[in-house]
Amino acid sequence: MSPFKFCDIRGVYPEEVNENLAHKLGRAVAALAEPGAVAVAGDLRPSTQSLKDALIAGLLAGGRRVLDMGSLPTPAYYFEKARLGVTPGVMVTGSHNPPKYNGFKPQLGRFPISQADLTRLEILSARRWEPSGAGACVRVGGPDAYAKALSDRFRGMAPIRVAVDAGNGSLWELAPKVFRAVGCDVIEVYCEPDGTFPNRAPNPADPENLRAVSEAVRSRSVELGVAFDGDGDRVAFLTSDGKVVEPDQMLAVVASELLRESPGRAVIHDLKSSRVVPAVVQAAGGVALWERSGHTSMKSRMIRERALFGGEVSGHFFFEELAGGDDGLFAALLVASLLPRWGGLRKRLDSLPRYVTLPEIRLPYPEGRKQVIDTIRAGLDGEADLTLTDGVRADWPECWGIVRASVTEPVLALRFEGTSEQALLEGAQRFLVLLPEPARAEAEGRLKRLLEERRVRGS
């Protein structure tokens, strides 16, 4: 796969993403970005510093002034860009991907990077460049202003005991520090910096990666568990009994709370979200709008619609208060501040409409993903209400399913929901019979295991 994805640039280091690409990307960004300084920051991965140095060298060779913000979580990088009035920038990060990955999140102007912009960057990054100017690099910023802004925003909230799992990622210091600054008692889990991620994979959307924080919640009388991804823009939540909360359920309960103060506003959710989201948003007097998955699509839609709130099943949460941006630590603090009003997270979740919803089934599929999706579309055409914005989503009265190609990995992603387990199974089977072998057998096996795990949990 090309490292130039739908929303960013990401791949295995050094085979797909390396210093040569970083330097050429710097030249391309220098040529395409809006006039003015370009901000650069990076995460904790071992390859990040050398990639960042090469990127900056390319920007300087393109005649740009560079503001080097050092090592920051992605939300802190966004905060610093806004604080300093800088629009273009590049965050060097592998985000939630496994340790062998790294990449870049570029922004050329006010809006998030578009697919057309990424195509232009890819074309220019393949060129042979001659130096066109001598830029300058200045070291600026840091995490302190971001930490203070969050502490000030949530100061005065009722203190709770919270388990913070940084996953050895970029929020290793900031998350415990800010929670303590607002009066919380913090139990730290994997809050030591290590960009090799020795304790768990950096993706908190997979419950298998949250066993340690779940145990900490159960054994230490913790009221809320939170777990972050590698660069801090995703967050997962756990109830006081250590159970992982589905992100679309969190999206629903937070949306209903925000709509109490701002009725009639739009809430953006991705196509993979449970029907609980539009049901709760509409009941709270809001307008639920779907969008395709991915940071670029979600944030751009937040800005265009002037939306109040938004979220994805992956654990990204977007806020009007953050100019449409996403921030895992902000989301975690907001939920913590709401717990006393709710009487606990579990109590609030128990009041939601009930659906049988399963996590994503992610099937490795290196080649031919488009052909598979086209086959499923043709097979379901005429028998379901189809939405084709992001793969194929098929809706029936009692269930729905979706198949899409991941924008970051060579994977086919499927998700199913029903008003009952039987309804879910019937909808899922309509998809799975259209998959080629051996993907069909793999998907059927995973579906069976997910349902068995759900029965064991009693959910």
Side-chain angles (χ1 to χ4, degrees):
M1 295 179 71
S2 166
F4 287 81
K5 312 300 185 187
F6 176 73
C7 295
D8 55 22
I9 302 158
R10 203 174 303 173
V12 176
Y13 176 87
E15 292 85 356
E16 297 170 330
V17 167
N18 50 46
E19 288 75 12
N20 181 52
L21 174 62
H23 189 276
K24 290 184 175 181
L25 176 65
R27 292 303 309 268
V29 171
L32 293 179
E34 288 182 356
V38 178
V40 176
D43 67 13
L44 298 179
R45 294 175 187 244
S47 58
T48 290
Q49 188 59 53
S50 62
L51 288 172
K52 184 165 155 283
D53 290 344
L55 174 76
I56 290 174
L59 287 164
L60 296 177
R64 287 296 189 134
R65 181 170 181 261
V66 177
L67 303 184
D68 182 358
M69 297 178 175
S71 178
L72 289 175
T74 293
Y77 154 76
Y78 291 144
F79 175 90
E80 282 296 290
K81 279 197 332 109
R83 186 178 72 86
L84 297 172
V86 181
T87 302
V90 183
M91 178 72 191
V92 184
T93 178
S95 190
H96 66 284
N97 285 100
K100 66 181 180 178
Y101 284 78
N102 214 327
F104 311 91
K105 294 180 177 179
Q107 184 173 351
L108 303 179
R110 173 174 173 258
F111 282 88
I113 196 80
S114 68
Q115 192 168 21
D117 289 334
L118 283 165
T119 299
R120 293 162 69 203
L121 287 175
E122 182 173 18
I123 292 169
L124 288 184
S125 295
R127 282 180 50 180
R128 291 176 60 92
W129 288 94
E130 296 295 332
S132 62
C137 183
V138 181
R139 180 63 187 268
V140 299
D144 292 346
Y146 171 73
K148 183 178 185 303
L150 287 177
S151 300
D152 290 346
R153 167 65 174 80
F154 293 99
R155 199 176 306 281
M157 61 177 270
I160 65 168
R161 172 172 277 196
V162 58
V164 173
D165 177 2
N168 303 114
S170 292
L171 281 173
W172 67 277
E173 181 179 33
L174 277 172
K177 175 182 177 180
V178 174
F179 267 106
R180 289 191 175 106
V182 298
C184 291
D185 181 15
V186 177
I187 307 300
E188 296 188 13
V189 179
Y190 304 145
C191 289
E192 306 81 28
D194 191 337
T196 66
F197 306 106
N199 294 297
R200 69 161 173 86
N203 181 10
D206 185 348
E208 288 297 311
N209 298 332
L210 305 182
R211 292 182 180 273
V213 67
S214 177
E215 174 59 28
V217 169
R218 292 194 304 271
S219 64
R220 304 289 293 273
S221 300
V222 168
E223 295 167 79
L224 178 70
V226 295
F228 302 101
D229 72 340
D231 67 329
D233 55 6
R234 295 188 184 204
V235 61
F237 294 92
L238 296 91
T239 57
S240 59
D241 55 358
K243 292 186 177 179
V244 180
V245 183
E246 291 294 335
D248 38 13
Q249 290 189 323
M250 288 305 311
L251 171 58
V253 296
V254 173
S256 67
E257 195 67 37
L258 296 177
L259 285 165
R260 288 176 58 178
E261 305 297 327
S262 302
R265 301 291 303 283
V267 173
I268 313 299
H269 62 95
D270 65 346
L271 274 171
K272 297 183 291 182
S273 294
S274 165
R275 284 179 178 171
V276 73
V277 176
V280 169
V281 167
Q282 290 162 17
V287 179
L289 302 174
W290 57 260
E291 184 53 70
R292 70 175 298 166
S293 300
H295 179 271
T296 292
S297 301
M298 293 292 296
K299 186 173 181 180
S300 295
R301 189 74 181 276
M302 287 285 299
I303 294 171
R304 290 198 312 271
E305 301 288 348
R306 299 182 180 179
L308 176 67
F309 180 53
E312 294 182 285
V313 170
S314 60
H316 287 280
F317 297 96
F318 301 81
F319 299 87
E320 180 184 45
E321 187 173 341
L322 304 180
D326 54 341
D327 184 333
L329 183 51
F330 182 96
L333 289 160
L334 178 63
V335 170
S337 73
L338 294 171
L339 288 193
R341 183 183 298 179
W342 291 340
L345 181 54
R346 171 53 59 195
K347 182 176 181 180
R348 180 65 184 91
L349 294 170
D350 286 344
S351 69
L352 292 175
R354 306 299 291 177
Y355 295 91
V356 179
T357 314
L358 295 181
E360 267 194 322
I361 297 171
R362 296 177 67 83
L363 302 175
Y365 213 95
E367 303 291 340
R369 290 179 297 279
K370 182 179 185 301
Q371 293 92 319
V372 173
I373 291 171
D374 287 345
T375 298
I376 292 174
R377 176 192 56 75
L380 296 177
D381 190 25
E383 68 163 270
D385 182 9
L386 300 185
T387 303
L388 307 178
T389 304
D390 188 9
V392 178
R393 172 165 169 152
D395 278 86
W396 295 273
E398 302 299 318
C399 60
W400 62 267
I402 187 171
V403 59
R404 53 186 291 276
S406 169
V407 298
T408 59
E409 299 175 83
V411 162
L412 278 174
L414 301 99
R415 197 182 196 210
F416 306 106
E417 178 178 79
T419 55
S420 65
E421 184 176 303
Q422 184 60 36
L424 182 149
L425 280 168
E426 290 175 1
Q429 194 58 34
R430 291 167 177 165
F431 275 81
L432 299 188
V433 296
L434 299 169
L435 284 174
E437 293 289 3
R440 181 192 306 175
E442 175 68 16
E444 288 174 343
R446 293 198 193 185
L447 177 67
K448 181 179 179 181
R449 288 194 296 273
L450 286 171
L451 286 170
E452 289 173 349
E453 290 169 5
R454 186 178 185 278
R455 296 182 194 115
V456 169
R457 292 195 307 268
S459 48

